[in-house]
Amino acid sequence: MAEPVPITAALDGIMKSLRGTDRIQIGGVFGRWADAVGENVAAHVRPVRLDQAILLVEADDSAWATQVKFLSGTIIARLAEVANVEIDRIDVRVARTH
C-alpha cells in the first residue's frame, strides 16, 4: 500500500505535469506582482496566466501594453528578484472593454 502524500505535494505534481509550472511559482507571480512591478503598473496591468515560464499579462489599454512590452526585461528581472520566479517571456494583451 502506498504511503499518503501531502496534498500540497500532490497538487504541485499535478500542476507541473499539466503546465510545467508549480504552485509556488504561480503564487510568487500572482502574490508578489505589485511588489515586482510597482503599484502604478499593477493598477493597469495584471498577470493572467503563467504557463511553462511564459507569463501572460493583461493591460487596461494599449499604452500600458506598449509600456509592459518595453519594460518586459526589467519585469522579468524583478519577478526573479522579488518572487524567485524564472520567466522566459511576457506576452501582453489588451483587456476587452464591454
Side-chain angles (χ1 to χ4, degrees), residues 62-95:
S62 59
W64 279 104
T66 300
Q67 187 73 4
V68 168
K69 288 176 188 174
F70 180 72
L71 293 173
S72 65
T74 302
I75 293 170
I76 288 169
R78 287 288 296 155
L79 285 168
E81 178 184 325
V82 171
N84 199 30
V85 177
E86 297 296 323
I87 304 294
D88 292 336
R89 184 177 86 223
I90 297 177
D91 291 342
V92 185
R93 72 179 184 200
V94 177

Side-chain angles (χ1 to χ4, degrees), residues 22-43:
D22 67 27
R23 175 181 49 87
I24 295 168
Q25 290 173 308
I26 292 171
V29 169
F30 288 81
R32 304 292 308 271
W33 179 250
D35 296 334
V37 302
E39 293 296 328
N40 196 31
V41 173

Side-chain angles (χ1 to χ4, degrees), residues 45-56:
V45 181
R46 66 182 185 90
V48 175
R49 182 176 64 233
L50 178 59
D51 188 0
Q52 297 183 16
I54 299 170
L55 177 63
L56 174 63

